[in-house]
Amino acid sequence: MDKIGVWFTCPMSNYLQDEVAKRFKLIKSWEIASKTAFINHHSKSIRAIVGNGAYGADSTLIESLPYLEIISSHSSGLDQIDLVKCKERGIRVTSTPDTLTDEVADLAITLILATVRRICACDQHVRNGLWKQQDFKLTTKGSGKHVGIIGLGRIGSAIAKRIHAFGCPVSYYSRTEKLNSGYKCHPNVIELATNCEILVVACSLTESTYHIINREVIDALGPNGYLINIGRGAHVDEPELVSALVEGRLGGAGLDVFEHEPEVPDQLIGLDNVVLSPHVGTCTMETRKAMADLVVANLVAHFSNEPLLTPVV
């Protein structure tokens, strides 16, 4: 297998790179001065791509690799991979879904509690010596709040299970109704937002979910409502979110993802009712190792003519 070239779209963990290098020819695309010239010269050996949620494989890259057989994504999100082109070419695609479910769900709960109780602002209140001058202002409780979840897949279901333990009624909106979930399904996002106090975005990014959180949804959530996004930044119309927070039309937001990462609107940074996190939903040592192991296992399975562990296409 050492002659099989694996194209890495961006730097990833040293562990993942080392594990791939033990079995294949690791190609670090970011170290190549002329990618076009390199691909033209080595295209026959490049038979696999490893990407992630930010740097996947678009149609241009896929078309430039005529011998490409598999894309093993270090992510559960597939919005950065041209799946249509992969199906046309018969290119296999794998992801790392179950390895990160618990970690992302944990972060969602953390963001909910940190946002409604304004934990980051409390931290600054203490650090800046303001506690000696005055008590911190009252916040609102998290327990018992009605939580709406957009997307009741693996991650959405894990969030629902966790937040239910806080005595929070749960409802959801999804492409298909989950008949055995035990949670109320709403026919659209507007109705879901109208009937909840905390709205969590946990769906995949597709054409239909791009800017699924728009002005109408934000206004339905209202000045006492909170938005939590652990999906993708493009799920939210960011300028509309910023204006709603600045104008007080939305109570607060907990955000792990942004529309133009790593750029974050300056206005969000100055708001104490917003908790900002640098897309770290899967960023623990345990989860990243599990994800890396699954990426490698899928590559090994494919080139050993064995069934893929987590096939998407």
Side-chain angles (χ1 to χ4, degrees):
M1 293 185 185
D2 57 334
K3 294 183 179 179
I4 295 173
V6 179
W7 180 277
F8 267 55
T9 61
C10 64
M12 292 182 224
S13 70
N14 290 334
Y15 175 77
L16 173 56
Q17 293 177 183
D18 290 344
E19 290 299 303
V20 169
K22 289 177 184 177
R23 301 164 174 82
F24 307 97
K25 179 181 179 182
L26 174 63
I27 303 170
K28 301 178 180 180
S29 65
W30 59 96
E31 294 182 354
I32 300 171
S34 174
K35 293 181 178 60
T36 301
F38 183 92
I39 289 174
N40 287 340
H41 188 69
H42 298 280
S43 63
K44 287 187 177 181
S45 69
I46 304 174
R47 295 165 58 189
I49 290 175
V50 170
N52 61 18
Y55 300 93
D58 59 16
S59 60
T60 301
L61 177 59
I62 293 170
E63 287 290 357
S64 70
L65 300 172
Y67 295 90
L68 180 64
E69 298 177 24
I70 183 172
I71 299 171
S72 188
S73 181
H74 187 261
S75 171
S76 64
L78 300 166
D79 50 284
Q80 296 299 314
I81 299 175
D82 191 330
L83 296 178
V84 174
K85 183 64 65 176
C86 289
K87 290 179 181 178
E88 290 176 356
R89 287 268 308 273
I91 297 166
R92 305 304 307 275
V93 178
T94 63
S95 62
T96 57
D98 294 313
T99 57
L100 51 78
T101 298
D102 287 336
E103 218 65 77
V104 177
D106 287 350
L107 182 66
I109 301 303
T110 302
L111 285 175
I112 289 172
L113 297 176
T115 302
V116 299
R117 295 300 303 272
R118 301 199 177 186
I119 295 300
C120 294
C122 286
D123 177 87
Q124 291 301 308
H125 189 79
V126 175
R127 291 178 187 275
N128 294 332
L130 298 178
W131 193 14
K132 298 174 183 178
Q133 304 171 26
Q134 60 185 4
D135 289 338
F136 191 78
K137 58 189 174 184
L138 297 180
T139 59
T140 186
K141 65 185 295 185
S143 298
K145 287 280 192 296
H146 194 135
V147 176
I149 302 174
I150 302 176
L152 203 67
R154 292 181 179 88
I155 294 174
S157 296
I159 294 169
K161 180 180 179 180
R162 285 160 169 75
I163 200 64
H164 186 70
F166 286 84
C168 295
V170 175
S171 56
Y172 71 97
Y173 165 76
S174 185
R175 288 176 298 177
T176 57
E177 186 174 355
K178 314 299 181 182
L179 297 177
N180 297 319
S181 70
Y183 307 122
K184 179 178 175 59
C185 179
H186 288 279
N188 56 67
V189 178
I190 297 294
E191 184 175 307
L192 178 65
T194 301
N195 289 279
C196 72
E197 298 162 280
I198 300 170
L199 183 62
V200 183
V201 183
C203 56
S204 299
L205 180 61
T206 63
E207 288 185 8
S208 63
T209 62
Y210 174 79
H211 281 189
I212 194 169
I213 305 299
N214 53 28
R215 186 184 184 93
E216 191 175 3
V217 172
I218 292 170
D219 286 346
L221 193 53
N224 296 316
Y226 296 85
L227 176 71
I228 307 296
N229 189 8
I230 47 83
R232 287 287 186 265
H235 281 130
V236 178
D237 186 332
E238 210 161 72
E240 287 291 350
L241 173 63
V242 171
S243 65
L245 289 164
V246 171
E247 296 166 10
R249 292 185 288 109
L250 183 66
L255 310 169
D256 185 47
V257 289
F258 304 88
E259 191 158 14
H260 305 290
E261 297 175 3
E263 299 297 325
V264 177
D266 290 338
Q267 288 170 297
L268 288 180
I269 295 174
L271 296 173
D272 68 359
N273 61 339
V274 178
V275 176
L276 307 174
S277 175
H279 202 154
V280 295
T282 66
C283 294
T284 65
M285 294 179 290
E286 297 90 344
T287 293
R288 284 299 175 89
K289 182 181 183 300
M291 291 170 68
D293 287 340
L294 186 52
V295 166
V296 175
N298 275 309
L299 290 173
V300 171
H302 174 76
F303 290 110
S304 300
N305 294 315
E306 297 175 355
L308 299 177
L309 283 76
T310 51
V312 177
V313 176

